[in-house]
């Protein structure tokens, strides 16, 4: 009960269950993730891992202000965590602040030169929201293979550019 990292791990597990839609209709993995993330922060307010997952859960729940607060706290607790900057960038994009997000993805990539492709997906989303559709396409194309959600963003970027065939191919 006093092991904060265990709460963070449980919260991540339920967050993935929610995002991958593994649960049945009556299950509520996002609510369970929220409960575990908050409990982890209560057990150890100095744990960046718990603030990080709390931020991701809040973002999934559409609680943008709370997500930003939790992710900013996580970075303050561990300013060398590249993933933290990438997660904060995603939250800023969804909060309507894509220009800030673009800079943070760059920082995350500098901190982790072998960054996973989802960093570039976050960059592509921020560029799309900033209406920089050509650059968004370039970012997504550098991050292949893409996941389902990234392909949707790529299709939308192509659509904004009037590249109907490319949009259709990305959507398929």
């Amino acid at each position: 009960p006093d092991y904060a990292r265990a709460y963070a791990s449980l919260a991540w597990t339920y967050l993935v269950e929610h995002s991958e839609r593994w649960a049945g209709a009556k299950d509520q993995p996002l609510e369970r993730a929220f409960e575990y993330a908050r409990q982890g922060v209560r057990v150890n307010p100095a744990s960046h891992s718990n603030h990080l997952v709390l931020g991701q859960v809040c973002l999934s729940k559409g609680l943008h202000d709370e997500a930003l607060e939790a992710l900013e706290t996580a970075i303050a607790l561990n300013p060398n965590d590249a993933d933290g900057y990438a997660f904060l960038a995603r939250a800023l994009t969804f909060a309507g602040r894509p220009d800030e997000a673009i800079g943070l993805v760059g920082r995350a990539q500098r901190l982790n030169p072998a960054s996973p492709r989802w960093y570039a997906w976050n960059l592509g989303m921020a560029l799309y929201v900033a209406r920089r559709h050509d650059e968004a396409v370039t970012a997504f194309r550098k991050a292949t293979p893409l996941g389902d959600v990234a392909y949707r963003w790529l299709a939308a970027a192509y659509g904004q550019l009037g590249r109907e065939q490319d949009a259709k191919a990305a959507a398929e």
Side-chain angles (χ1 to χ4, degrees):
D2 296 329
Y3 185 33
R5 181 69 180 154
Y7 287 112
S9 296
L10 284 167
W12 278 114
T13 300
Y14 283 109
L15 182 59
V16 170
E17 179 179 7
H18 166 75
S19 65
E20 296 296 326
R21 293 171 173 74
W22 294 335
K26 65 181 185 253
D27 296 325
Q28 295 185 338
L30 189 58
E31 290 307 315
R32 293 185 80 183
F34 192 46
E35 291 169 21
Y36 284 126
R38 288 187 305 182
Q39 182 63 21
V41 168
R42 281 192 291 272
V43 168
N44 184 0
S47 167
H48 98 282
S49 298
N50 285 289
H51 288 282
L52 202 64
V53 71
L54 179 60
Q56 287 300 102
V57 171
C58 287
L59 185 60
S60 291
K61 290 177 68 64
L63 304 171
H64 295 121
D65 291 340
E66 294 87 342
L68 292 172
E69 181 181 344
L71 292 165
E72 288 167 353
T73 300
I75 288 171
L77 291 167
N78 185 356
N80 291 315
D81 181 18
D83 289 354
Y85 289 101
F87 288 139
L88 179 57
R90 184 170 181 257
L92 286 166
T93 295
F94 287 108
R97 296 163 53 188
D99 293 324
E100 293 173 68
I102 292 164
L104 285 180
V105 173
R107 186 169 187 174
Q109 290 171 323
R110 286 188 299 280
L111 282 169
N112 182 0
S115 58
R117 63 182 186 246
W118 63 266
Y119 283 26
W121 300 352
N122 284 347
L123 177 60
M125 289 186 290
L127 289 164
Y128 179 89
V129 171
R131 299 184 188 281
R132 293 164 56 181
H133 303 116
D134 279 324
E135 293 172 81
V137 167
T138 300
F140 285 121
R141 282 297 180 213
K142 286 182 181 177
T144 56
L146 299 177
D148 294 347
V149 172
Y151 271 114
R152 292 180 201 140
W153 284 88
L154 176 60
Y158 279 137
Q160 292 292 335
L161 295 169
R163 294 173 58 180
E164 197 172 305
Q165 289 301 100
D166 291 327
K168 183 177 179 183
E172 289 175 356

